[in-house]
Structures are given as structure tokens and as C-alpha cells.
Amino acid sequence: MKAILIDVKNEEVREVDHDDTLQQIYKFVDCATFDVLRLDGVNGIYVDDEGLFAEDRRFFIYRGTNRDGSHGRIQSLAGNGLILGVDSEGNSISPTITVKEVEEAIDFHPTGFDTWQ
């Protein structure tokens, strides 16, 4: 299945092949533990649950969009993000949003940005 990777070190968003295993989520997100934030009724973004504690922290901002097209919540997230969809039975599916939509919804913080400052 397809997934969308937000790569903070290379500051790029790209489509990747996901084999539907937890091991591959850990690999793409580059973490030991992850959390999932719901983006909408289908899509979620997997992020490093301990990203704020990483030595070389890199951040991006995700600007959610409400159903009427207006901007919703804004979140600063640490580390890579992996976007997958979920079906009505809780199984992972390819995201229903596009790479272009994700690119328009995020901004990468510059190197050296830190939420602790």
C-alpha cells in the first residue's frame, strides 16, 4: 500500500510503499515508540512519541483543514511523520489525501528551532 512520508532531515514529502508492518512504521518514523494523531475521519499521522527528547530534533508544522476548507488546528511535531489511512474495521489503508495536499499543509521549521526556547 502507499503511505506519505514527511522527511524532516531532507525537508521533503514523498509517497512511499508501506508493507503494513509495525517494523516499517518504526523505520519510516525513525523511532522506538510512536503515537498517531488523527488528521480527519480516515487519515492519521504517525510520529515519534519521544521526538521532543531526540538529540537532533527537527520540527514541522501541520496545519489541519476543516471540512469547510478553513484552517483548523496547527501543531508543531518533532521528527518524521508517516501518513496512513484506516478503514472502518481499523485496518491500515493508503491515505485518502495526496502528497500535494500534505505539502500545502506543512512547513518545516528551520534547523535550530526548538520548542524548549
Side-chain angles (χ1 to χ4, degrees):
M1 82 182 68
K2 299 296 180 187
I4 299 173
L5 177 65
I6 301 167
D7 180 342
V8 294
K9 288 186 178 157
N10 295 308
E11 294 190 2
E12 67 180 11
V13 178
R14 67 181 183 274
E15 189 175 80
V16 294
D17 289 315
H18 175 54
D19 66 7
D20 200 23
T21 63
L22 289 174
Q23 291 80 9
Q24 198 167 49
I25 293 172
Y26 290 120
K27 179 182 171 190
F28 281 130
V29 178
D30 190 21
C31 68
T33 60
F34 62 80
D35 201 357
V36 183
L37 293 105
R38 301 298 307 158
L39 300 179
D40 56 35
V42 175
N43 302 291
I45 184 167
Y46 292 74
V47 294
D48 185 350
D49 192 45
E50 299 175 339
L52 290 175
F53 303 111
E55 190 169 315
D56 182 26
R57 288 184 296 273
R58 298 294 304 269
F59 295 86
F60 67 95
I61 295 174
Y62 182 85
R63 295 179 308 280
T65 304
N66 296 321
R67 289 186 179 153
D68 64 2
S70 64
H71 288 294
R73 66 183 181 274
I74 298 173
Q75 298 185 351
S76 284
L77 302 169
N80 290 344
L82 184 71
I83 299 175
L84 287 166
V86 64
D87 67 16
S88 61
E89 296 184 12
N91 300 308
S92 294
I93 59 171
S94 295
T96 60
I97 56 178
T98 67
V99 168
K100 182 173 175 46
E101 289 172 316
V102 174
E103 288 173 333
E104 292 172 354
I106 70 162
D107 287 307
F108 293 100
H109 281 295
T111 302
F113 171 86
D114 200 331
T115 58
W116 302 114
Q117 296 176 354

